[in-house]
Amino acid sequence: PPTTPPPTTPPPTTPPPGGRVDNPYLNARGYVNPEWKAKAESVSGGSRVSNISTGVWIDRIAAINGTPDSQSNGPMGVRNHLDEALRQGAQYIQFVIYNLPGRDCSALASNGELGPNDLPRYKSQYIDPIAAIQGDAKYRNLRIINIVEIDSLPNIVTNVSGRPGGTAMCDTVKANGAYVQGVGYAIAKLGAIPNVYNYIDAGHHGWLGWDDNFGPSAAILREAAGASGASPANVHGFIVNTANYSALKEPYFTINDRPNGQDVRQAKWVDWNRYVDELGFAQAFRQELVRRGFDSNIGMLIDTSRNGWGGTARPTGPGPQTSVDAYVDGGRVDRRIHAGNWCNQSGAGLGERPRANPEPGIDAYVWIKPPGESDGSSREIPNNDGKGFDRMCDPTYTGNARNGNSLSGALPNAPISGAWFPAQFTELMRNAYPPLS
């Protein structure tokens, strides 16, 4: 990436009508989802952040037209949101495309409605109708940003047989091409619309930061960008840390430190990873993706909705040099028990507010996961929304191979994924970093 950040003023030449701009977030006003805004304002102090643009999740077929009777979506469908974006005078709107066959093959809270062999249905009943709405000429001046299939492609690198915690479902969707072909079809179909910007999900540092995950995940992303009629030109960029909690920057230690003469990488928290935070990972992974054949102008997004880690527990300086674990654990701002913990994390806070061009190679910090919407229920809750129960959302769970057999760190009394969780929203505001005024 360039040594000096790119200028924040737009280039002197305006793009041709219908042509894409380099950074859809730059000097542009984002769409405020009125459904999330109302929920945020129902909690004391929520009005401080309720006008922030958040992602609109299309996590099942019914959500395309809206689900008035659901706990985890709202009555507004894709067209309603686009019409409201025009009414607001917004310049961009963010949708999460999230319904792959055999979705989230390694987790249960976020499993989807489609079975592993439902690729034809994914194409005809899910992607095609979304593309038909987004392609309506009345929305041609709106920058439609699609966050494509979070937590998907890296799973078929890291969570297959022979890897710790590998699952049969991940084996299945790797073998039948559901993920690679599904993502390829989605970006080809949606990317054919001139004002659509596709950003594919690329995990986070605590998942892909190891050598045996880093390169192979970039390779599978490139494979998907050539599947089902897609090409890398259909990919505007990538997003990391979607709906996750990894710290944006660890200010008090780096991967190169040697406390007490020991390599930081051998700390239990770092566990031989090559990255300690999302910014460093995103910039390095961007270079790897370009090396694998993506356009050199791709930009990265980082979801900072819940990775602030402020509040009274935030360290104010490095940990003691007595041992490598004391040094890392004393200085890290990410207060999770284990970097593999992902569900309704206790102690988390709102992160950096969305802004464009914050660092070289980064198109924007974004809030794709709407803060206060649950990651999953802390116990099994029967529901009609197709949401399962994952023990990683149970505060009493003592873990598995993927989180080092640690406690889950999840908050108690959580509703199903996507449902409003006011206690979590209150905690996220209290622990915001930068703090809320």
Side-chain angles (χ1 to χ4, degrees):
T3 46
T4 52
T8 50
T9 49
T13 53
T14 50
R20 292 185 186 92
V21 297
D22 176 56
N23 184 347
Y25 290 91
L26 194 59
N27 300 320
R29 184 168 153 221
Y31 168 64
V32 178
N33 179 351
E35 294 180 333
W36 180 75
K37 178 181 165 76
K39 289 185 281 194
E41 290 177 355
S42 73
V43 175
S44 177
S47 59
R48 292 173 295 176
V49 294
S50 61
N51 283 309
I52 288 177
S53 184
T54 53
V56 175
W57 288 57
I58 318 172
D59 64 1
R60 51 208 170 106
I61 291 165
I64 298 171
N65 290 321
T67 52
D69 55 349
S70 150
Q71 300 176 61
S72 63
N73 302 94
M76 293 175 72
V78 175
R79 190 175 285 284
N80 302 121
H81 285 292
L82 287 164
D83 288 342
E84 173 65 12
L86 293 182
R87 194 194 67 75
Q88 287 180 15
Q91 288 148 298
Y92 70 83
I93 182 172
Q94 304 165 108
F95 288 106
V96 180
I97 308 296
Y98 185 49
N99 199 29
L100 273 178
R103 187 179 77 196
D104 274 14
C105 58
S106 69
L108 297 172
S110 39
N111 285 170
E113 64 189 347
L114 299 179
N117 298 309
D118 281 343
L119 183 61
R121 200 171 155 217
Y122 174 78
K123 294 176 178 180
S124 66
Q125 294 181 36
Y126 180 70
I127 295 298
D128 289 358
I130 293 172
I133 298 168
Q134 292 188 352
D136 187 324
K138 79 192 256 196
Y139 309 124
R140 67 184 177 276
N141 293 320
L142 194 56
R143 298 171 188 175
I144 299 174
I145 294 162
N146 289 319
I147 305 300
V148 179
E149 296 296 354
I150 62 170
D151 288 350
S152 61
L153 292 164
N155 262 309
I156 57 176
V157 172
T158 66
N159 290 320
V160 291
S161 290
R163 302 296 294 270
T167 70
M169 179 63 91
C170 290
D171 288 345
T172 299
V173 293
K174 179 179 182 177
N176 71 7
Y179 283 13
V180 165
Q181 299 300 326
V183 169
Y185 186 84
I187 61 172
K189 188 88 184 181
L190 299 168
I193 303 163
N195 53 310
V196 158
Y197 298 77
N198 291 321
Y199 288 85
I200 304 181
D201 187 77
H204 55 89
H205 89 275
W207 183 3
L208 303 185
W210 289 270
D211 292 346
D212 53 353
N213 297 348
F214 191 86
S217 293
I220 208 101
L221 288 161
R222 176 62 187 86
E223 185 186 338
S228 295
S231 81
N234 297 131
V235 182
H236 203 75
F238 295 84
I239 181 167
V240 299
N241 202 47
T242 314
N244 211 279
Y245 297 87
S246 296
L248 179 66
K249 299 173 186 172
E250 283 290 359
Y252 304 124
F253 75 103
T254 77
I255 201 69
N256 301 314
D257 293 352
R258 294 188 61 80
N260 203 26
Q262 294 177 290
D263 186 339
V264 147
R265 293 184 68 213
Q266 69 190 71
K268 192 170 182 228
W269 170 260
V270 182
D271 190 28
W272 302 103
N273 200 316
R274 290 204 183 273
Y275 302 91
V276 299
D277 55 30
E278 286 306 295
L279 180 59
F281 168 73
Q283 290 173 322
F285 200 56
R286 179 186 174 281
Q287 290 181 301
E288 177 70 10
L289 290 159
V290 170
R291 198 176 71 75
R292 298 269 174 175
F294 286 99
D295 189 279
S296 60
N297 287 326
I298 56 167
M300 306 298 284
L301 305 176
I302 303 176
D303 188 349
T304 57
S305 56
R306 306 182 304 180
N307 70 350
W309 296 105
T312 53
R314 185 181 178 90
T316 54
Q321 296 265 351
T322 46
S323 74
V324 69
D325 284 319
Y327 177 73
V328 171
D329 288 338
R332 61 182 169 94
V333 297
D334 185 336
R335 303 312 295 167
R336 286 179 294 177
I337 297 166
H338 188 278
N341 288 350
W342 53 265
C343 194
N344 299 326
Q345 290 299 286
S346 176
L350 302 173
E352 287 271 357
R353 274 41 115 201
R355 59 189 165 103
N357 253 355
E359 297 276 355
I362 311 296
D363 278 354
Y365 298 151
V366 292
W367 280 14
I368 294 304
K369 174 69 176 181
E373 292 188 1
S374 174
D375 294 317
S377 55
S378 36
R379 57 182 175 82
E380 189 148 9
I381 299 176
N383 65 89
N384 297 320
D385 292 21
K387 303 295 172 78
F389 167 61
D390 193 299
R391 288 295 309 276
M392 287 294 283
C393 302
D394 173 357
T396 68
Y397 182 51
T398 52
N400 56 46
R402 287 200 295 275
N403 82 331
N405 296 295
S406 310
L407 277 167
S408 70
L411 293 169
N413 306 313
I416 61 168
S417 83
W420 187 241
F421 190 6
Q424 181 187 39
F425 189 58
T426 296
E427 180 168 3
L428 289 168
M429 290 191 291
R430 184 171 66 242
N431 296 329
Y433 194 90
L436 295 176
S437 49

